[in-house]
């Protein structure tokens, strides 16, 4: 085959050669990155695993049929649930007790929402709640509460948590209904689509 114009041939072949070398380099990098990503290493953005947001309320953080007790001990128990599930550092429990001394957390309707003082936000690892149900009620500074919900709100998420609780427990009848719920039903109520 005779090439009539060498300049045209050069123009037609050179871009293909460059394109071939770019494809080859890209394929090498892609395969290398994929291999490293499979090994759990981070290269060129590959291998970064999307962090799955943990549920606000884990099933293991729901305690049914709790017996009445001292308010301080109940706060320690609900705080320990948050700590064991990785929501907070252990020092957050003391911050919950400190909050209770300065401002009681019972909000009426048979509900108490113990949470830490503002300075303790740095000890919150992720947002979460823990629920303790007292069918016979427990004394909370002169008021009987049936539902104790420990709260750890990271950043501004505490407002979102409070709005979920308010939506689900607006009526005193809601609290009485929850007392008879299973842990799964309580879990669905706080994490599912509705609060009915």
């Amino acid at each position: 085959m005779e090439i009539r114009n060498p300049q045209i041939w050069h123009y037609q072949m050179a871009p293909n050669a460059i394109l071939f070398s770019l494809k080859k380099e890209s394929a090498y990098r892609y395969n290398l990155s994929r291999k490293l990503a499979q090994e759990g290493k981070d290269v060129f953005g590959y291998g970064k695993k999307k962090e799955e947001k943990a549920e606000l309320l884990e099933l293991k953080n729901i305690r049914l049929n709790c017996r009445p007790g001292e308010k301080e001990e109940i706060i320690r128990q609900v705080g320990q649930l948050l700590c064991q599930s990785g929501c907070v550092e252990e020092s957050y429990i003391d911050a919950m007790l400190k909050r209770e001394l300065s401002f009681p957390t019972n909000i009426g309707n048979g509900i108490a929402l113990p949470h830490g003082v503002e300075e303790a936000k740095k000890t919150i690892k992720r947002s979460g709640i823990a629920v303790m149900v007292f069918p016979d009620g427990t004394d909370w500074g002169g008021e009987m509460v049936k539902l104790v919900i420990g709260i750890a709100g990271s950043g501004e998420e505490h407002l979102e948590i409070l709005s979920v609780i308010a939506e689900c427990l607006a009526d005193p009848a809601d609290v009485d209904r929850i007392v008879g719920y299973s842990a799964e039903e309580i879990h669905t109520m706080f994490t599912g689509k509705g609060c009915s």
Side-chain angles (χ1 to χ4, degrees), residues 52-62 78-79 81-88 92 113-115 121 124-132 148-169 183 186-195:
E52 289 183 25
K53 192 171 181 181
E55 284 186 318
L56 182 65
L57 174 61
E58 296 177 44
L59 199 55
K60 66 181 180 180
N61 282 356
I62 301 170
V78 79
L81 290 173
L82 292 170
C83 186
Q84 288 170 351
S85 60
C87 295
V88 298
Y92 187 76
L113 304 175
H115 55 282
K121 282 202 174 277
I124 298 173
K125 298 175 183 176
R126 65 174 177 82
S127 294
I129 62 175
V131 177
M132 295 179 72
V148 175
I149 305 172
I151 300 175
S154 177
E156 295 303 313
E157 287 182 353
H158 66 283
L159 297 174
E160 185 183 330
I161 293 169
L162 290 173
S163 92
V164 168
I165 293 169
E167 183 186 337
C168 294
L169 304 171
I186 293 173
H187 181 262
T188 300
M189 187 186 77
F190 282 109
T191 60
K193 296 293 180 188
C195 296

Side-chain angles (χ1 to χ4, degrees), residues 33-170:
S33 298
R34 260 185 56 193
K35 182 178 180 235
L36 291 171
Q38 287 169 350
E39 294 171 3
K41 296 176 183 169
D42 178 22
V43 176
F44 306 121
Y46 293 98
K48 285 185 179 176
K49 295 180 181 173
K50 288 184 180 176
E51 288 183 24
E52 289 183 25
K53 192 171 181 181
E55 284 186 318
L56 182 65
L57 174 61
E58 296 177 44
L59 199 55
K60 66 181 180 180
N61 282 356
I62 301 170
R63 294 285 184 267
L64 304 177
N65 301 314
C66 298
R67 305 185 88 171
E70 293 293 321
K71 181 169 65 167
E72 182 179 308
E73 184 52 36
I74 292 168
I75 292 171
R76 287 189 187 284
Q77 288 174 23
V78 79
Q80 197 61 45
L81 290 173
L82 292 170
C83 186
Q84 288 170 351
S85 60
C87 295
V88 298
E89 294 173 14
E90 197 155 353
S91 61
Y92 187 76
I93 298 169
D94 291 330
M96 294 172 83
L97 293 165
K98 187 175 177 183
R99 163 72 72 186
E100 197 64 38
L101 289 173
S102 61
F103 189 82
T105 56
N106 50 321
I107 60 166
N109 286 1
I111 305 166
L113 304 175
H115 55 282
V117 291
E118 192 66 29
E119 309 89 76
K121 282 202 174 277
K122 62 182 177 290
T123 65
I124 298 173
K125 298 175 183 176
R126 65 174 177 82
S127 294
I129 62 175
V131 177
M132 295 179 72
V133 180
F134 295 84
D136 299 323
T138 188
D139 180 55
W140 204 272
E143 181 185 334
M144 291 300 280
V145 299
K146 292 188 173 184
L147 203 57
V148 175
I149 305 172
I151 300 175
S154 177
E156 295 303 313
E157 287 182 353
H158 66 283
L159 297 174
E160 185 183 330
I161 293 169
L162 290 173
S163 92
V164 168
I165 293 169
E167 183 186 337
C168 294
L169 304 171

